[in-house]
């Protein structure tokens, strides 16, 4: 079974520039999560999708971050404009065929973003 | 509020000794508590999880215990090996869809 795919793996941009990350979850997984992991901290949920609907985006800085999962499969996370404090690893995870609170979350390799 | 506290932040043990990492959570509605291991530069990997209807779960050298009354759960690693060295994160779920709140992480170092 293929795992969660993410691209790019690394990205370096200047502050105020835009950047986009892509995630393809495990086939059949209804739930998709985007996490931000700042160096030395645990992952923090930015947004959770169930199929193509948003379940939780309470921690997403909506003035600069946006995410979509239009067809309920792959997803894109965008930052516009980027700030220095956005430097982090952005992890995508997917879970369960039907969602639910007991589903194991499988993480992708992450995208390491550096904002200069 | 949604919060998971984890300690210690760093833990150093000799090979063969046991290691214990503890977490507390704030929401009594939480019912799923996974533990992830993250090696440097790699993705978090689930190593064990526990659901609220059990008090303990074991998988070879790893065990997790849960005390719902006290709202805390712990990871126990016995007979530690150098390859156990990594950062360990606990987490608790906070909505029916499975949103996880992670602890701050524990950097475990196993010295040969």
């Amino acid at each position: 079974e293929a795992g969660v795919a993410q691209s790019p793996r690394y990205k370096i941009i200047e502050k105020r520039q835009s950047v986009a990350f892509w995630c393809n979850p495990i086939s059949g997984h209804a739930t998709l999560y985007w996490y931000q992991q700042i160096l030395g901290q645990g992952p923090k949920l930015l947004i959770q999708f169930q199929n193509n609907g948003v379940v939780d985006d309470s921690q997403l800085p909506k003035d600069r971050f946006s995410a979509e999962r239009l067809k309920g499969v792959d997803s894109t996370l965008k930052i516009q404009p980027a700030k220095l404090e956005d430097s982090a690893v952005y992890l995508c995870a997917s879970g369960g065929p039907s969602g639910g609170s007991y589903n194991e979350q499988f993480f992708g390799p992450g995208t390491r973003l550096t904002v200069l | 509020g949604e919060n998971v506290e984890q300690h210690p932040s760093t833990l150093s043990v000799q090979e063969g000794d046991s290691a214990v990492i503890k977490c507390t959570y704030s929401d009594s509605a939480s019912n799923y508590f996974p533990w992830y291991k993250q090696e440097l530069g790699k993705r978090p990997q689930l190593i064990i999880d526990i659901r609220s209807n059990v008090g303990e779960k074991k998988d070879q050298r790893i065990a997790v215990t849960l005390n719902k009354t006290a709202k805390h759960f712990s990871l126990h690693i016995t007979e530690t090996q150098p390859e156990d060295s990594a950062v360990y994160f606990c987490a608790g779920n906070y909505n029916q869809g499975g949103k996880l709140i992670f602890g701050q992480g524990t950097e475990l170092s196993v010295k040969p």
Side-chain angles (χ1 to χ4, degrees):
Chain A
E1 175 180 91
V4 177
Q6 289 188 248
S7 67
R9 293 294 312 278
Y10 306 91
K11 190 73 177 178
I12 301 174
I13 61 173
E14 301 279 338
K15 60 182 179 183
R16 291 187 289 274
Q17 286 187 324
S18 302
V19 64
F21 313 128
W22 175 82
C23 171
N24 194 32
I26 292 172
S27 178
H29 279 189
T31 312
L32 185 148
Y33 310 81
W34 282 103
Y35 289 89
Q36 179 192 59
Q37 187 175 24
I38 293 172
L39 187 64
Q41 299 181 18
K44 183 184 82 172
L45 181 73
L46 293 175
I47 189 166
Q48 176 186 346
F49 292 96
Q50 179 79 11
N51 297 307
N52 62 352
V54 175
V55 174
D56 190 322
D57 63 356
S58 57
Q59 296 297 303
L60 187 73
K62 298 180 185 62
D63 57 334
R64 298 184 301 106
F65 286 65
S66 64
E68 59 184 16
R69 194 186 184 198
L70 294 176
K71 297 182 180 179
V73 180
D74 58 345
S75 176
T76 302
L77 176 70
K78 297 179 181 177
I79 307 175
Q80 180 180 9
K83 293 185 175 182
L84 296 176
E85 58 261 35
D86 298 333
S87 294
V89 175
Y90 291 84
L91 293 162
C92 179
S94 70
S98 58
S101 59
Y102 288 148
N103 288 318
E104 175 181 348
Q105 294 185 24
F106 297 84
F107 283 86
T111 297
R112 183 177 297 276
L113 174 67
T114 301
V115 182
L116 303 176
Chain B
E2 300 173 342
N3 191 47
V4 175
E5 294 287 336
Q6 180 174 350
H7 58 93
S9 57
T10 60
L11 180 59
S12 182
V13 300
Q14 288 295 128
E15 183 177 0
D17 287 351
S18 295
V20 180
I21 303 170
K22 299 182 179 181
C23 290
T24 58
Y25 61 97
S26 61
D27 190 339
S28 59
S30 299
N31 55 16
Y32 173 66
F33 306 93
W35 285 88
Y36 285 85
K37 175 183 180 182
Q38 188 173 32
E39 296 176 350
L40 189 62
K42 297 190 175 181
R43 74 190 77 188
Q45 298 268 20
L46 180 75
I47 56 172
I48 196 168
D49 56 18
I50 191 167
R51 299 177 183 180
S52 59
N53 56 347
V54 298
E56 184 175 5
K57 182 177 178 180
K58 290 183 180 179
D59 182 3
Q60 300 181 350
R61 297 186 296 108
I62 294 173
V64 57
T65 58
L66 172 64
N67 183 326
K68 286 213 72 178
T69 302
K71 296 183 187 176
H72 66 70
F73 56 111
S74 300
L75 177 71
H76 304 253
I77 305 174
T78 59
E79 301 173 21
T80 54
Q81 300 166 5
E83 50 266 37
D84 294 330
S85 296
V87 179
Y88 291 81
F89 292 97
C90 62
N93 72 324
Y94 275 81
N95 64 25
Q96 289 303 308
K99 169 184 179 178
L100 292 179
I101 300 295
F102 284 81
Q104 300 89 334
T106 296
E107 184 175 2
L108 174 64
S109 175
V110 181
K111 299 186 184 306

